[in-house]
Each structure stands twice: as structure tokens, then as C-alpha cells.
Amino acid sequence: MNRLLPLVVAVPLMGAALLVAVGRRVPRPVAEAVGGAVAAATTGLVVWLLLSRPVPDVEWVGGWTPVDGGPSVGIVLRAGPLALGLAALVSLLVVAVLVYSWRYFAEPPERQAGAFPALVLLFQAGMTGFVLTGDLFNAFVFFELMSVVAYALTGYRVEDPKAVQGALTFGVVNSLGAYFLLTGITLLYARTGELGMRAIGRRLDEQGGPDALVLAAFVLVLTGLLVKAAAVPFHFWLPDAHAVAPTPVCMLLSGVMVELGVYGVGRVYWFVFSGSGGIPAPDARRALVALGVLTALAGAVMCWLQRHVKRLLAYSTVAHTGLFLTGVGLLTPESTTGAALYVLGHAGVKAALFACGGILLDRYGSIDEHELHGRARRLPLVAALFVTGGLALTGLPPFGSGLGKAVTEEAGGTALTVLFVAVSAVTGGAVLRVAARVFGGLGARPTEEPSYETKGEEEEPETQGLLGRVPDSMLAVPAALLAASLAVGVVPGVAVAVGHAVDEALDTPSTAPPHWSVHGVLLGLLSTALAAALAAWSVLRPVPARPGAWTKPLRRVHSGHIGDYVAWLALGTTLLAALVLPGVLPG
Amino acid sequence: MSVLPYLVAAWLLLVGCLGLATSRNLIHAVGCLAVCQASTYVLLLAVGYRRGGTAPVHSDLRPGSRPLVDPVVQALCLTDVVVGATVTALLLALVIQVSKRHGTVVPDELSGLRG
């Protein structure tokens, strides 16, 4: 049964190869159907493995099982319910994206109808591989595979000047992060002679307490993963990439890829550095929670300031990954369970919101909140989906995002609860504000003034011309995604399964399964009420002549300049090292 | 084992980052990224090196007669080269497209995405 595990990565790879080989000769519907079928087959396989008993755990690819106690040279896949669950989430979202993008693009590259589905399948292979691998070097390889495909997908519309610019920034910053990651992995190999995560952890523990080399390796590996997770100050590539990437790609980037960075951080910490030879928990916790809080606050403020709807959603992703990072960074099973549930609920909601944004872009040729003011009154269904998504983002019970938020809050204590309520209220409020203006035409029409920001007017629609009516597939996907997010919160079995999966992944004795508490429901309602109040306040107040001066420094930091972003990355690495340093100082 | 290769690797990584941060030309920036990656090659090879060791090719070698350098890092290094070639090629292609669409490869003049 375990023998089927490598197929989770291999099937999409083979599907992509097939599409590249025959994509020239087949008509477009066939290529898209093949892509969808391969993705669906992979999803079926993952779900079947996840439901089988016992759940597959360890698989040495090609039978290179290490002789007991000796060094391992084979490639190990380490599944377990948590990794398989994430692989299932990735695969389900890939299927949703392929359905959403059915006949989506105006024109695929000339006589290459298979290009887009092939790239999406490669993306799926990279992400499932990253999730399942138990080997640090292979984690780097899969990290690069998903990154390179993501750059290509971001710059898919090569005729669009902004798209190529955003893809380039994305590419340079993420690749630099990947090389930091590889440097860290090499240092760990130099110290231990192992590449398997568990094996590295064991050898580090045998060699006594942490020293400067372990610290350097920890900081470098974490830098690479945090770039992917878009933690402040490594996050600058994300809004640029999301603003320009085709909408179906944004659904994948925001829905799962960014979260995989947080997953990687958790996995590397627990498997490699949590022992006596690694980084002491209080120091790792200080570093991760500090960066998480900073990310959540910066993301929320920048989200509120946007008028480009896709950028707004992108900053909301930054804010939420900050919350996930805080949850994982608390390094307790309860907080990790909460973060896992939150990721699960958030993936559906955020993908659905991007899908609605894509409908706006393709129906009206603009993604600017001010320009779209009142124009989308005749799309009641899209409006309903968008508002539902906004409410789910605030953590409204009984959505899965609300359950995840409540569980993480309970694990995090009072100060973090305030942060969680505030951040979800601001990001959800920004979405509700957009909904009120764009779909309801509420409030005064904002006046135009020159300003320092990306607006999103005069965008090219991604579909064949402007949509006359919205295709059913583009409406069904966000509806299904929101329903799935609702199911995460409503069906108790899901929360129990997630709790169990996290306990098993962390090797902790089983804790009480996550559930709704009165406390959590009330806090969820509170942040929804705050979000609604914020949205109402911003819509009803007179429109200010110019944006507040206090926002200027924060906006200037996001300069769109590659060099600045690289400098921030280096600064962030130093900051991370400073935060962890006390743990390795003697005495 | 001499400490020099490690210093070279660290130097390459830092000087590559400096070049990226201060670059005034996108092609130059992609080159700097390649320099950063070169540091990982140097580091990998330094880690696997054994004094007096020979290449890990067994065909004309009596087993146990001579020390070998670590074959694992060679495999890693080859993988790294493949990854690097892919990334550099894709990024250079994007730079060409930026140049066509914006008419410039100077990062300071690209102001489409701000705030």
C-alpha cells in the first residue's frame, strides 16, 4: 500500500509530460480535460491513501532502506495524516483551479493549448512533493520546482508589462531565499553527514548542545522557508506577484503555496531542531512569534490601504500567514492544530475571494475599487459569494476559518487573542468595504487624485474579451470552495481528524480534539461585528482629499524595487539570527 | 581541511547579495543571483572534499585502495547546477520580456507596482 505513495508526485509529473508532448496536436478542450483528469486522479489517490488504514507513513523510494542505525543514502517520503491531508488540500484546490480556468485565457500560446494545464500539474507535483518529503535536500528540490513553475505561471501573460515585472521580482527574491535554504542544508550535512530530517535531528542531539554552526544553519534554512511564507520582512514579492498573476494562479499561490512555507518551518523545527542539539524552544518561539506578529500587523495595515482588489487580497494573505506563523511558532500541539485548521478554512475562502475578483476583472476590465464603484450591481450572485467570503475571513462562526482562529486564540493567550481579533477584523473589513462599494454602490464616489500606489485600472481581462455573462463554472467553483470552508467548521469529524493528524505528526500524546467553545464563538462574532463597523465607517464617512500622512512611510517601503527587497531579505536574516542568538550563547 | 573554501563561499554569497541590492541593470542582477548560487557549489564541494581523495568513480579503482571524495555532495551539486540553469534561464527570459514591454532594464525606472 505504501508503495503507491510516490505516485502522488509522479502522476502529475507524468501528466505534465504527456501534455507537453501532445499539447501541440490536440484541441484546447482535450488538453484542458486531460489536465483536469490527471489532477482529479491524483486527488483520488491522495484521498484514498488518507482514508486507508493504516495511513502510509514512511516510504524509502526505490527500496533504499537504511541498514539499522547506519547512515541513510536513499530518498525518504514521510507521509502521515498531516502531510497527506495537506497534499489532499493542494490537489483539491488544483482541481478547483482547473475547473475555474476552463476556457479561461484569451489565447494560450500559439498551438500550445497544453501549456497552462501542464504548468499547473507541475506545480501540483512540486507542492505535493514538498509536503511529503522527509529529506531536507529533496525539500529544496521540490521547493525550487514549485517556485520555478510559480514564476512561469505568474508571468504567464508575457505580453503584459506588469506581469513580467512582478514575475521577475518574485523569481529573484524567492530564488535567493532558496539558495539561503540550500546553504543551511549544506551546513547541516557537513555537521551530521545526513540529509533525512529525522536523521539530522538525531545526529545533532548526539553531538551535544547547539553552537554557532547550528544557529547559522537554522537561520539560513528558516530564511528560505519564510521567504516562501511571505513573513515580514521577506514578504515584498507577494503583493507584486499576486497583483499581476492570472487569477487562477493567485488562487493557488494564496490558497496553499504560501502556507506551505509555514508548514515547512514547522516541519523543519519539529524534526530537526527541536532536540537537545537544536535550538531551545523558548528562543525559536520568540523568533517565530515575533515575526508572525509583525507580519500580521503589517499585512493588515497594508491590506486596509489598498484599492487594487487583488493586492488587497494579497496583503490579507500576508496578514493571515502571520497568524498561521504565530500559531505554529507557539510550538504547542494545540496552537499547531489551530493553525492547521485555520489554513484549511482559509484556503477555500481566499481562493473563492480571488475567484470573485477574477470575475470582476474579466467582466469590467478593471480591478480598482474606486473605478468599479457601483458598477457590479447586476451581479447579485457574485456579490453574495464575495460578502460571504469577507465574513468567513473575519472568522464568523461556523466557518472553518472561524474555528481555526478560535482554537489558535485559545492556545495563544490574551495578548495574541487581541491580535487575532484585530487582524481578522481589519482584513475582513477591507473585503466588506470593497463589497459595499463595488457591488452595493454605497458611499460617495471617491474622487481621483494622483497617489503613490498601484491602482488596477485599465487592466486587460484575462478571458476572451470582456465577459458578457459569467460562465457557470466560474461561479460554481467559489461557491463550492466556500461550502468546503463551511464544512470544515461544521462537520466535527474534520476538526477531530486535524487534531489527530497534528498529534501524530508532532509525536505528542493525543490532546483534546479541537471544538467550538462559547468563548471562541463570541470572539468570532466580535471580530465580524468589528469588521462590519470598520467597513461601514469607511464607506459612510466623507472621502478624504488625500490618504493619511501616517501611511506614507509604510507605502514607500513597498517600492517595487528588486534591490530594496533583497536588502530587506538580508536585514531579515540578521534580525532572525539576533532573535535566536540567546539560545546558543554559553551560560 | 583548509578554511579558505568556506570563506570563499561566504564571500561569494555576501557579495552576490550586495550586487543584487545595488544593481542598476536587471541582467546584472540575474548574474549576481548566479554568483550567490555559485557560493552553494563552492560550499558543497568544500564539505565533501577529502585530502588526497579521488573522484568517486569506481570502474578503474580497487575498492579500499584510495580515499574517495563524498559522492553525495557531487550528486547534490549536479542537482543544484540543473536547478540553477533552469532558474537563470527563466529569469533571463523574463528580463528580455521586461525589456521589450517596458523598454528598459533599469530597476529604478520600473514603477508599475508600488505600495
Side-chain angles (χ1 to χ4, degrees):
Chain A
M1 190 123 84
N2 277 0
R3 301 276 132 187
L4 292 180
L5 199 54
L7 283 183
V8 174
V9 185
V11 168
L13 279 179
M14 290 190 288
L18 176 76
L19 278 170
V20 170
V22 304
R24 271 174 204 287
R25 304 210 184 85
V26 296
R28 194 168 161 187
V30 176
E32 289 180 340
V34 169
V38 173
T42 316
T43 313
L45 179 65
V46 180
V47 172
W48 184 72
L49 286 172
L50 189 60
L51 297 178
S52 62
R53 290 287 172 268
V55 177
D57 187 18
V58 178
E59 161 77 3
W60 291 88
V61 179
W64 288 86
T65 318
V67 184
D68 41 22
S72 56
V73 291
I75 291 170
V76 60
L77 294 181
R78 221 168 250 290
L82 184 66
L84 273 175
L86 259 176
L89 176 68
V90 167
S91 303
L92 282 170
L93 211 54
V94 165
V95 173
V97 161
L98 283 172
V99 173
Y100 180 84
S101 56
W102 180 257
R103 318 268 309 153
Y104 187 76
F105 292 102
E107 50 188 55
E110 192 119 3
R111 291 188 291 113
Q112 245 319 350
F116 181 73
L119 280 172
V120 173
L121 287 179
L122 276 179
F123 200 21
Q124 182 186 17
M127 289 194 286
T128 51
F130 181 76
V131 167
L132 291 178
T133 184
D135 177 301
L136 211 46
F137 186 75
N138 277 288
F140 163 75
V141 172
F142 284 123
F143 180 99
E144 272 292 15
L145 174 59
M146 72 175 165
S147 301
V148 171
V149 180
Y151 316 152
L153 281 169
T154 303
Y156 187 75
R157 292 181 299 151
V158 288
E159 306 296 313
D160 180 355
K162 284 183 191 157
V164 282
Q165 188 195 339
L168 188 68
T169 310
F170 182 16
V172 169
V173 175
N174 264 262
S175 298
L176 187 62
Y179 301 150
F180 275 53
L181 172 68
L182 180 59
T183 306
I185 293 170
T186 313
L187 292 180
L188 285 173
Y189 180 76
R191 170 56 60 87
T192 63
E194 295 277 3
L195 287 170
M197 292 190 205
R198 295 239 156 142
I200 296 175
R202 263 199 308 277
R203 296 256 188 263
L204 280 181
D205 295 349
E206 285 165 11
Q207 288 167 354
D211 56 9
L213 187 133
V214 176
L215 170 76
F218 180 73
V219 169
L220 288 168
V221 168
L222 240 62
T223 299
L225 294 168
L226 288 172
V227 169
K228 183 62 62 184
V232 171
F234 309 113
H235 71 289
F236 294 98
W237 61 270
L238 185 137
D240 289 1
H242 282 58
V244 300
T247 308
V249 179
C250 290
M251 291 164 70
L252 281 177
L253 293 185
S254 252
V256 281
M257 188 194 78
V258 172
E259 286 77 1
L260 289 191
V262 179
Y263 166 79
V265 168
R267 189 150 162 124
V268 163
Y269 181 77
W270 285 101
F271 280 8
V272 180
F273 291 104
S274 61
S276 57
I279 303 294
D283 302 283
R285 186 178 299 137
R286 175 173 54 237
L288 294 177
V289 171
L291 285 187
V293 170
L294 196 63
T295 307
L297 290 175
V301 172
M302 284 305 289
C303 172
W304 182 258
L305 296 178
Q306 298 302 311
R307 53 189 275 193
H308 185 298
V309 177
K310 275 162 87 175
R311 266 180 101 82
L312 182 146
L313 293 173
Y315 278 113
S316 138
T317 301
V318 173
H320 281 94
T321 41
L323 298 183
F324 305 150
L325 190 62
T326 311
V328 171
L330 286 170
L331 302 177
T332 64
E334 292 82 9
S335 66
T336 312
T337 309
L341 267 172
Y342 207 166
V343 167
L344 199 56
H346 173 268
V349 172
K350 188 53 63 66
L353 283 171
F354 267 112
C356 295
I359 293 175
L360 287 179
L361 174 58
D362 298 330
R363 182 81 168 71
Y364 302 105
S366 167
I367 193 80
D368 178 16
E369 180 188 341
H370 294 184
E371 198 193 331
L372 283 171
H373 188 268
R375 278 175 69 186
R377 279 207 193 91
R378 270 189 271 156
L379 293 178
L381 217 50
V382 183
L385 290 171
F386 200 79
V387 171
T388 315
L391 291 174
L393 209 57
T394 64
L396 178 72
F399 277 97
S401 43
L403 178 58
K405 172 172 161 290
V407 173
T408 323
E409 279 168 354
E410 203 152 320
T414 316
L416 288 180
T417 303
V418 174
L419 172 84
F420 273 64
V421 170
V423 167
S424 46
V426 171
T427 52
V431 173
L432 293 177
R433 181 194 76 200
V434 171
R437 288 222 176 108
V438 171
F439 295 102
L442 301 178
R445 198 183 174 83
T447 45
E448 285 306 310
E449 82 278 354
S451 66
Y452 182 86
E453 63 184 329
T454 308
K455 290 183 195 143
E457 79 293 13
E458 292 165 23
E459 296 265 343
E460 292 283 317
E462 292 156 1
T463 45
Q464 192 102 44
L466 290 177
L467 290 176
R469 74 173 263 293
V470 184
D472 293 335
S473 60
M474 285 173 80
L475 284 171
V477 167
L481 287 169
L482 285 172
S485 175
L486 188 65
V488 171
V490 173
V491 181
V494 176
V496 173
V498 170
H500 174 74
V502 169
D503 287 337
E504 190 167 322
L506 302 190
D507 273 337
T508 45
S510 68
T511 45
H515 55 87
W516 284 104
S517 61
V518 180
H519 200 68
V521 172
L522 289 179
L523 284 172
L525 291 174
L526 172 68
S527 43
T528 308
L530 279 176
L534 270 173
W537 169 73
S538 71
V539 168
L540 295 180
R541 71 176 174 156
V543 181
R546 52 184 62 248
W550 65 276
T551 66
K552 230 172 210 167
L554 198 55
R555 278 187 193 273
R556 294 244 176 242
V557 166
H558 297 80
S559 59
H561 192 291
I562 292 184
D564 293 356
Y565 294 174
V566 170
W568 279 108
L569 194 152
L571 189 72
T573 311
T574 319
L575 175 71
L576 196 57
L579 283 167
V580 186
L581 186 63
V584 298
L585 289 178
Chain B
M1 183 66 205
S2 150
V3 76
L4 185 66
Y6 296 98
L7 292 179
V8 170
W11 167 254
L12 283 177
L13 187 65
L14 291 175
V15 85
C17 284
L18 180 69
L20 265 173
T22 57
S23 180
R24 301 197 162 274
N25 182 317
L26 287 174
I27 296 176
H28 173 261
V30 176
C32 289
L33 193 65
V35 170
C36 288
Q37 184 166 36
S39 81
T40 63
Y41 304 150
V42 174
L43 185 63
L44 274 169
L45 294 178
V47 163
Y49 182 75
R50 283 182 76 183
R51 194 170 290 278
T54 183
V57 182
H58 288 273
S59 58
D60 55 351
L61 208 63
R62 199 159 44 77
S65 62
R66 289 185 65 185
L68 300 176
V69 297
D70 188 346
V72 174
V73 295
Q74 315 242 323
L76 302 190
C77 214
L78 278 177
T79 317
D80 193 13
V81 169
V82 174
V83 168
T86 320
V87 170
T88 310
L90 183 65
L91 292 180
L92 283 176
L94 283 170
V95 173
I96 291 175
Q97 206 60 27
V98 166
S99 153
K100 274 189 194 163
R101 297 295 144 199
H102 292 269
T104 175
V105 288
V106 183
D108 300 344
E109 291 171 13
L110 296 172
S111 58
L113 299 164
R114 291 192 300 189

